Amino acid sequence: PSLPDGWSAEKDFKPMGSLSQPTSRAIEPVGPHFLAHARRKRHKRTFSEDERI
Amino acid sequence: MNAEDGDQASRTAIGISFGNSYSSIAYTVDEKAEVIANEEGDRQIPSILSYVSGEEFQGTQAKAQIIRNPRNTIAYFRDFLGKSFKEIDPTPCHASAHPVEIDGGKSVGFTVQETEEGEKSTLSVSEVTTRHLRRLRQSASDYLGKDVVATVITIPSDFSDSQKSALTAAAKAAGLDVLQFIPEPISSLLAHDAKQQLSESSSGAPKDKTVVVADLGGTRSDISVVASRGGIYSTLATVHDYELGGSSLDQVLIEYAAKEFMKKNKNATDPKSNARSLAKLTIEAENVKKALSIGQTAAFSIESLSDGIDFSLTVNRTRFELLANKVVASFGRLIQSAVQKAGLDVLDIDTVLLAGGSSHIPKLSSSMQSIFPESTAVVAPAASASAVNPSELVSRGAAIQASLISEFEHSDIEGSTEAVVTVTPHLQKALGLASGKDGEQFSLIINADTPVPVRRTAQVSVADGGDVLLRIAEGEREIKVTKEEKPQTNGAKGEDDSDDDSDDEPEEVREKVWKAGKVLAEAGIKGVKKGGKVEIQINVNTDLSVTVVAREVGGKGGVRGELEATKA
């Protein structure tokens, strides 16, 4: 879709809302991807921080 | 030589799938899981123990004793572990040793003639389990040439804590340190994904998909609906049936064979009325069923079935499928009820993974294919060439998990499995881009039920170039039902066409459509080249704030914005 005329926003980004309430669920503690997730969580790292290591 | 000095911590860990009917053991070599055969050459080891004149037999040898020595043969005991006598259903044990009350009904045991002479002894279920696990451990140690000390054991998704602790204790007594219990369906899925990963030789995370894992066992069936997102699994719903399984299919064959026997031998006794004849029939029926999963015909042949009369009968697959129709339909209903319980539609399911011994039956996978839309992949040996042997899925998954965590400390495993698992919020709605004239259309970037934090990237091609507006929105899945008019047959009403008129009703076509919901943010990218592409990355953080980065592929700069976290 093309930009409508007269559309403008600060730094070209316009926040309009936030996410709906999440559902709380348990994830299964199994598999390599979970272990990576657990490692990030325990060290409180984000994705990009994790990649840098 | 002091090479061994430093490496004391590493343990040999295997995966064990411990079932009511069969158990199996697996380990990993070079990231590939292999199922270990025991000394009898069996990969599927019957979970049966038998005592014959003071000697203990297990596995296939013990299974044969159900005919001659049923009261000293213990089978189908897994589900009795950690339960009181009142809670158990002793039906499957009818043909073998019956469960008895011990500890004043608090747990279950079996009374068998363990020694050659003297008193009968009563073994508790935990003792039986310990002996079974000890033998499994021995088989694995002999094969690997290393002492196996640790294991990951798979359990049904509805195993209670008391069942788990009973199993931990029984394993400990057998010299096995349980690193972790993992649910059977998740284990199967892990094994399937690992195989997929190897064959596609892709390094990234597996694709996001919603999977139904149907574990069709001998005496019970367990269905789980799992959201697999970036290789992380969340169980959405589970259903269990404690009566439906492979033995229901055996029953169909037993009935059929018994009827045929009585037809041929008018004056003979019904083989179902005699325990020994029935045991012979039961074992042969299972063999015939297995043979029919591979070949088109199979033969029952039983020596001295009833009144000393030999019995032989050939069954072809078509006949079996006709007889089994009802049971197959119940499997179908069970699976559909699980999808419903998850609040989903069959159109939402990307993959149906069939696990457990009964999944070998070709008819089952073809009936799954008819329940689910064509877009759904049914993974079973009869339906896809890349499928892993469904009997081995569970133990392979356990082996993979065992190799992943064998280096960890117990406290690490416990820490990771408790706090981290339970506190993960999942997205309630899908996230993507709204497009089209009135912003109605929606293209998916992050699916619903994805645990956060999550990061996904998508590319949008811009054919015309110029300035582009990206509208990030939540999306909702709807099932659109359209009635499709049957194409009118051209004039000529032939006489022989009359049969077709019966299903003249317009066919309903159901499809999954995405509708854009609440718009979260807009981003403008200016001056995109003709035929260029715009890359958009959405990050949902742990606190549910959202970061959006958008830029033209190959371009510089780009737009970056952030959304505040949801207020609770």
Side-chain angles (χ1 to χ4, degrees), chain A residues 23 25, chain B residues 210-213 223-229 234-239 333-349 372 427-428 448-449 477:
Chain A
T23 41
R25 273 217 170 87
Chain B
T210 307
V211 186
V212 172
V213 187
I223 318 292
S224 281
V225 182
V226 183
S228 165
R229 306 281 186 258
S234 318
T235 302
L236 304 178
T238 54
V239 295
R333 278 196 299 277
L334 188 68
I335 289 169
Q336 278 173 302
S337 73
V339 175
Q340 218 164 50
K341 197 173 166 193
L344 297 176
D345 188 274
V346 288
L347 291 169
D348 291 317
I349 306 300
F372 289 91
L427 294 181
Q428 194 195 351
D449 296 313
R477 185 270 293 152

Side-chain angles (χ1 to χ4, degrees), chain B residues 38-114:
Chain B
N38 70 357
E39 47 285 348
E40 296 178 88
D42 291 323
R43 287 190 165 76
Q44 303 309 314
I45 303 159
S47 308
I48 300 177
L49 288 81
S50 185
Y51 296 91
V52 186
S53 44
E55 225 186 309
E56 185 186 79
F57 292 99
Q58 290 204 22
T60 308
Q61 285 183 322
K63 191 168 191 171
Q65 292 298 327
I66 291 186
I67 297 170
R68 254 166 292 150
N69 190 14
R71 295 296 160 243
N72 295 320
T73 302
I74 303 169
Y76 304 106
F77 55 89
R78 199 269 320 263
D79 277 356
F80 299 165
L81 202 62
K83 281 195 170 173
S84 72
F85 189 74
K86 274 190 189 142
E87 290 171 301
I88 65 159
D89 172 17
T91 324
C93 295
H94 196 70
S96 53
H98 293 184
V100 292
E101 275 183 70
I102 56 170
D103 293 345
K106 264 185 264 159
S107 55
V108 186
F110 294 93
T111 305
V112 290
Q113 183 76 46
E114 203 187 346

Side-chain angles (χ1 to χ4, degrees), chain A residues 16 20 23 25 27-28 51, chain B residues 235 421 449 455 474 520:
Chain A
M16 298 169 85
S20 301
T23 41
R25 273 217 170 87
I27 60 180
E28 302 288 350
E51 275 166 9
Chain B
T235 302
V421 179
D449 296 313
R455 178 175 62 186
E474 287 189 330
L520 299 181

